[in-house]
């Protein structure tokens, strides 16, 4: 047997071939790296897309839940909303109020407000409201009926230039103090009201203008709101004015008002800081000389969360002749609610209130409650007069069209608190200076 041996001789590889192989390997490695990078980017995009999809699904779910809640609230609001009485641009509304009172009043044989008689419940008010709105033309009328007397509360026509400018002509609210009711939230108001320095209605023109953080009111009143139907000679009216009960006293004329309120916020506390100025004439209907009157007030409202703190200090003066029917220049004849009374001709009036707004969604029969505490006093410049203080602790309760006040008030100088002391001079001389109390519940249904 023979073996044949074949010898293979290796061919040498050139440097160019080696260079080409290395270049190819490097290209393949670069392509691999690019492929890996693209794969990683695709995976990241996929993860981001999945996150966005999850967020979108969560947002859609929240939006659906919010929509369902809003629909439920809207349906509930529609159920609560009373049917409006409208005649084109004119809306008809009103209110009926009943009142329960018990306090320091004389005991009587029948029903009375005295503690001994268990208090008294009666019909307080019926009122009719007309609200007009037709484009920029607006208007408002309110008339009220009480037991034995009635009067016009409001009656004006106006023009709404825009949401920051408005003009009113007629019987409208005088711009004086921090708001329409002074510092008060209660049914009894504070002592400013009983001096014609809060919620005062007069006959004239008022212009309102807002610019930046400022709110401005400028007004001129030719006279008070007038006397209407009642037993008194000149006091059947809603707001307190200088009244001419004797036919030869004084009457209000030519009153000017300026109010500026600046709003700012610090540490979640919103503040309305304001100044009110008032000047008017007193026209004599008797032998006494004409007089005048003026008032200046610094006021502030602070709001943080659901709390509201309102404070005010006012100086006022009535310059009257001692030959007037009251026989002194230390007093002035005031009147409202068909009841005349006297007031000190010069005084300081500090007032303060604190309230808290609490929604009560968990209570079916109540929408909200506003507990409050208030204090005000008339510090008279005549040393022989006793000051007149008023303190109120209470709450306002709201449900649909119902608004109910529950107030416990104490005063040593207010015509509406207590009946054991003499009436008529509690804001004037206040001779009795007797602290009296009254607990009051006012039930109001508004439509």
């Amino acid at each position: 047997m023979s073996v044949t041996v074949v010898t293979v001789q290796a061919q040498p590889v050139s440097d160019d071939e080696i260079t080409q192989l290395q270049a190819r390997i490097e290209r393949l490695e670069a392509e691999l790296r690019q492929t890996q990078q693209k794969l990683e980017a695709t995976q990241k995009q996929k993860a981001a897309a999945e996150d966005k999809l999850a967020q979108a699904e969560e947002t859609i779910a929240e939006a659906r839940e919010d929509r369902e809640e809003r629909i439920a609230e809207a349906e509930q609001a529609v159920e609560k909303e009373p049917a409006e009485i409208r005649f084109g641009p004119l809306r008809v509304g009103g209110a009926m109020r009943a009142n329960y009172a018990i306090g320091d009043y004389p005991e009587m044989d029948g029903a009375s407000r005295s503690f001994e008689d268990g208090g008294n419940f009666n019909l307080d008010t019926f009122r009719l409201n007309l609200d007009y709105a037709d484009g920029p033309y607006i208007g408002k009328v309110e008339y009220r009926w009480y037991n034995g007397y009635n009067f016009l509360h409001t009656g004006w026509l106006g023009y709404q230039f825009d949401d920051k400018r408005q003009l009113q002509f007629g019987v409208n609210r005088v711009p004086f103090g921090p708001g329409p009711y002074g510092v008060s939230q209660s049914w009894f108001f504070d002592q400013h009201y009983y001096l014609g320095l809060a919620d005062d209605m007069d006959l004239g023109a008022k212009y309102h203008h807002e610019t930046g953080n400022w709110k401005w009111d400028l007004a001129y009143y030719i006279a008070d709101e007038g006397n209407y139907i009642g037993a008194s000679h000149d006091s059947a009216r809603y707001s307190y004015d200088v009244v001419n009960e004797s036919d030869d006293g004084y009457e209000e004329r030519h009153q000017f008002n300026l109010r500026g309120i600046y709003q700012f916020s610090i540490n979640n506390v919103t503040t309305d800081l304001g100044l009110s100025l008032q000047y008017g004439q007193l026209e004599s209907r008797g032998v006494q000389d004409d007089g005048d009157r003026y008032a200046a007030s610094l006021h502030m409202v602070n709001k943080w969360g659901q709390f509201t703190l309102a404070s005010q200090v006012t100086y006022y003066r009535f310059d009257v002749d001692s030959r007037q029917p009251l026989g002194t220049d230390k007093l002035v004849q005031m009147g409202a609610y068909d009841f005349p009374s006297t007031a000190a001709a010069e005084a300081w009036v500090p007032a303060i209130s604190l309230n808290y707004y609490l929604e009560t969604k968990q209570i079916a029969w109540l929408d909200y409650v506003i507990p409050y505490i208030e204090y005000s006093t008339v510090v008279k410049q005549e040393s022989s007069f006793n000051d007149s203080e008023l303190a109120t602790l209470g709450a306002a309760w709201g449900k649909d069209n119902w608004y109910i006040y529950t107030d416990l008030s104490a005063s040593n100088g207010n015509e509406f608190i207590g009946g054991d002391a003499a009436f008529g001079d509690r804001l004037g001389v206040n001779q009795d200076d007797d602290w009296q109390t009254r607990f009051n519940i006012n039930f109001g249904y508004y439509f």
Side-chain angles (χ1 to χ4, degrees):
M1 170 181 252
S2 63
V3 178
T4 302
V5 178
V6 179
T7 303
V8 179
Q9 185 175 359
Q11 297 295 324
V13 178
S14 67
D15 292 340
D16 290 339
E17 291 177 331
I18 294 174
T19 302
Q20 291 176 359
L21 287 174
Q22 289 177 341
R24 184 178 180 185
I25 291 172
E26 290 176 354
R27 285 197 301 272
L28 290 173
E29 289 177 345
E31 291 176 359
L32 179 61
R33 284 195 300 271
Q34 290 177 357
T35 303
Q36 289 176 339
Q37 290 174 355
K38 290 180 179 180
L39 179 61
E40 290 175 356
T42 301
Q43 290 175 343
K44 289 181 180 179
Q45 291 175 355
K46 180 181 178 182
E50 290 176 348
D51 289 341
K52 288 182 179 180
L53 179 61
Q55 291 176 3
E57 291 175 347
E58 183 179 355
T59 301
I60 292 171
E62 291 177 351
R64 285 175 178 170
E65 184 179 355
D66 182 63
R67 183 187 65 180
E68 291 173 357
E69 290 179 356
R70 290 179 180 272
I71 291 173
E73 290 176 356
E75 290 175 347
Q76 187 177 10
V78 169
E79 293 176 358
K80 291 181 179 180
E81 188 69 22
E84 289 189 345
I85 304 173
R86 282 192 174 274
F87 300 94
L90 185 67
R91 180 185 180 275
V92 181
M96 292 187 66
R97 298 200 306 226
N99 201 76
Y100 172 78
I102 186 171
D104 292 319
Y105 292 88
E107 183 179 2
M108 302 178 68
D109 294 335
S112 78
R113 296 174 176 177
S114 70
F115 286 116
E116 293 79 7
D117 291 330
N120 189 36
F121 185 89
N122 61 6
L123 181 64
D124 175 47
T125 315
F126 175 76
R127 84 183 201 195
L128 180 66
N129 292 81
L130 301 175
D131 291 277
Y132 179 83
D134 187 9
Y137 300 101
I138 54 177
K140 186 176 183 65
V141 174
E142 181 177 318
Y143 201 92
R144 296 188 178 190
W145 288 264
Y146 292 81
N147 184 19
Y149 56 96
N150 55 80
F151 46 69
L152 179 72
H153 176 279
T154 305
W156 57 264
L157 292 173
Y159 190 86
Q160 187 79 43
F161 297 94
D162 49 43
D163 60 349
K164 297 182 181 298
R165 296 180 299 156
Q166 186 187 95
L167 187 61
Q168 298 178 7
F169 294 95
V171 176
N172 59 68
R173 182 175 285 111
V174 173
F176 191 91
Y181 311 110
V183 304
S184 181
Q185 179 69 46
S186 71
W187 187 74
F188 286 107
F189 297 99
D190 75 273
Q191 295 288 55
H192 280 90
Y193 171 73
Y194 304 94
L195 297 163
L197 296 173
D199 200 20
D200 180 30
M201 304 296 175
D202 285 329
L203 175 62
K206 177 174 65 175
Y207 176 70
H208 175 79
H209 183 83
E210 298 180 19
T211 175
N213 289 21
W214 283 97
K215 294 180 180 180
W216 293 98
D217 293 282
L218 178 64
Y220 165 74
Y221 297 97
I222 190 171
D224 58 39
E225 74 263 41
N227 178 62
Y228 294 87
I229 300 173
S232 66
H233 185 71
D234 196 33
S235 297
R237 60 186 68 212
Y238 168 73
S239 52
Y240 277 83
D241 298 306
V242 174
V243 295
N244 185 13
E245 280 293 326
S246 60
D247 261 346
D248 57 354
Y250 284 107
E251 295 178 353
E252 294 185 359
R253 292 290 186 270
H254 306 300
Q255 177 177 306
F256 298 87
N257 285 86
L258 175 65
R259 178 175 64 183
I261 296 176
Y262 183 80
Q263 185 177 91
F264 59 93
S265 296
I266 300 177
N267 296 330
N268 297 322
V269 177
T270 301
T271 299
D272 289 346
L273 181 62
L275 175 67
S276 296
L277 301 174
Q278 177 173 297
Y279 172 81
Q281 297 178 2
L282 294 172
E283 186 175 295
S284 172
R285 293 300 185 181
V287 298
Q288 69 274 8
D289 292 336
D290 291 340
D292 57 12
R293 55 202 162 90
Y294 49 90
S297 184
L298 185 65
H299 39 83
M300 182 168 60
V301 177
N302 308 103
K303 294 184 179 181
W304 68 103
Q306 303 302 100
F307 284 98
T308 299
L309 175 68
S311 54
Q312 181 177 8
V313 59
T314 301
Y315 171 80
Y316 76 87
R317 180 172 177 175
F318 295 88
D319 284 325
V320 293
D321 192 336
S322 61
R323 293 178 296 168
Q324 67 163 322
L326 294 177
T328 176
D329 59 0
K330 305 299 182 183
L331 294 171
V332 64
Q333 183 72 70
M334 306 288 290
Y337 284 92
D338 206 27
F339 181 78
S341 59
T342 60
E346 184 182 9
W348 288 86
V349 189
I352 191 169
S353 72
L354 176 66
N355 70 69
Y356 182 83
Y357 182 90
L358 176 64
E359 288 189 0
T360 54
K361 295 182 179 180
Q362 70 279 13
I363 303 177
W365 53 268
L366 186 66
D367 292 333
Y368 61 89
V369 60
I370 308 174
Y372 46 77
I373 184 170
E374 303 175 356
Y375 174 81
S376 59
T377 182
V378 183
V379 183
K380 301 159 190 175
Q381 297 300 97
E382 174 57 42
S383 60
S384 62
F385 292 179
N386 293 310
D387 294 342
S388 300
E389 301 171 79
L390 172 63
T392 299
L393 176 65
W397 313 75
K399 172 62 177 177
D400 297 340
N401 296 77
W402 287 94
Y403 198 80
I404 300 171
Y405 293 95
T406 54
D407 292 325
L408 176 61
S409 293
S411 177
N412 65 346
N414 184 282
E415 304 291 351
F416 283 79
I417 310 298
D420 288 341
F423 288 103
D425 81 327
R426 297 183 183 182
L427 289 168
V429 178
N430 193 21
Q431 185 172 356
D432 287 346
D433 193 23
D434 183 24
W435 277 95
Q436 301 176 93
T437 59
R438 171 174 168 173
F439 177 69
N440 197 86
I441 306 177
N442 189 265
F443 303 87
Y445 182 81
Y446 298 81
F447 60 92

